[in-house]
Amino acid sequence: MTKVVEQAIFEELAPEYWEQACAELMKHDRILKKLIPKFGSGFLRTRGDSFTTLARSIVGQQISVAAAQTVWGRVLLASKNKVNPKNILALSVEDLRAAGLSGRKVEYIRDLAEHFDSGRLQANQLKGMEDEAIIKELCDIRGIGRWTAEMFLIFNMVRPNILPLDDVGLIKAISLNYFSGEPVSRHEAREVAANWAPWRTVATWYMWRSIDPVPVEY
């Protein structure tokens, strides 16, 4: 693939701020100065579907990325390869449990489907809202806490400055990259990330990549 084609693909798919963010992060952070070139050909991708992003985030709560991918694959299969509110509501509790969801997550994903199906949650209304206002709106839905809302802001809305301090992978990556593997408090992680603003989403993505070369997607 030629450099011209690679650049065209980058411009077509990468968030518009990605190149600028990478340049500034490498300038201001010694760790990212090494990491970004190592994984420089990749970037954050969005699936574009609000329900899918939130449903995948619910599935991924408190389990590993690999386990979440396995369970999601089973949910996808049960939904005839199209996960949407109507297809989820058409599945029985037993169907969803058989896919590997806990009883609590079955309740959450069905409640989410009902919010979308009834029109109580309309993704278009969120577009003009500030990050914290969106988090508050989403956290009113059962099963959606701050982490899940932040995954939505990162992977669906591609907001540039999200720092998901409840994310185990992010904390682990900060520990390994900045503290030689020593335990890291939220305060210490926030101090490290102060250097990343206003591109904390981008820095977080590279932190994830540093511990798992396969890009995370929701």
Side-chain angles (χ1 to χ4, degrees):
M1 185 180 291
T2 67
K3 287 186 178 180
V4 173
V5 174
E6 287 178 348
Q7 182 64 24
I9 290 173
F10 183 91
E11 289 174 353
E12 181 184 355
L13 297 176
E16 60 181 11
Y17 55 77
W18 198 262
E19 195 169 0
Q20 178 187 354
C22 288
E24 292 184 12
L25 288 168
M26 286 191 291
K27 182 178 179 181
H28 297 298
D29 189 284
R30 60 184 178 81
I31 300 297
L32 289 169
K33 186 177 181 179
K34 299 174 185 175
L35 277 181
I36 289 175
K38 186 177 179 181
F39 299 108
S41 61
F43 48 82
L44 173 66
R45 298 173 188 269
T46 174
R47 296 178 183 277
D49 178 71
S50 302
F51 178 76
T52 297
T53 299
L54 289 168
R56 283 183 75 106
S57 297
I58 287 173
V59 169
Q61 289 172 359
Q62 299 179 333
I63 60 176
S64 70
V65 172
Q69 185 61 42
T70 298
V71 175
W72 182 257
R74 292 174 184 159
V75 172
L76 190 60
L77 191 63
S79 303
K80 299 178 181 177
N81 292 320
K82 189 168 180 61
V83 177
N84 58 35
K86 289 189 182 301
N87 283 0
I88 289 295
L89 292 172
L91 296 173
S92 67
V93 171
E94 291 72 22
D95 291 332
L96 292 167
R97 289 298 301 271
L101 292 174
S102 66
R104 188 63 59 85
K105 286 185 181 179
V106 169
E107 293 176 14
Y108 293 163
I109 202 168
R110 286 180 61 84
D111 187 58
L112 177 68
E114 287 171 358
H115 269 78
F116 273 87
D117 193 55
S118 67
R120 280 181 288 165
L121 178 63
Q122 296 186 20
N124 287 338
Q125 294 177 351
L126 302 176
K127 290 181 179 177
M129 295 168 61
E130 296 292 326
D131 295 340
E132 287 299 323
I134 293 171
I135 289 171
K136 184 177 184 301
E137 182 83 11
L138 293 176
C139 284
D140 285 340
I141 300 171
R142 287 185 66 201
I144 295 183
R146 186 174 184 90
W147 178 85
T148 304
E150 287 169 337
M151 293 304 104
F152 180 80
L153 286 170
I154 291 172
F155 288 99
N156 184 268
M157 304 193 79
V158 202
R159 294 291 176 95
N161 198 33
I162 306 303
L163 181 69
L165 287 173
D166 294 319
D167 189 83
V168 174
L170 173 61
I171 298 300
K172 178 181 178 182
I174 290 174
S175 168
L176 292 172
N177 286 294
Y178 294 87
F179 295 89
S180 302
E182 293 295 317
V184 175
S185 68
R186 287 171 62 93
H187 175 71
E188 289 169 325
R190 192 179 285 107
E191 281 193 333
V192 168
N195 228 18
W196 302 344
W199 312 115
R200 294 184 297 179
T201 294
V202 180
T204 295
W205 189 86
Y206 281 105
M207 286 292 107
W208 285 331
R209 292 298 301 278
S210 74
I211 59 174
D212 185 353
V214 178
V216 180
E217 293 182 3
Y218 282 101

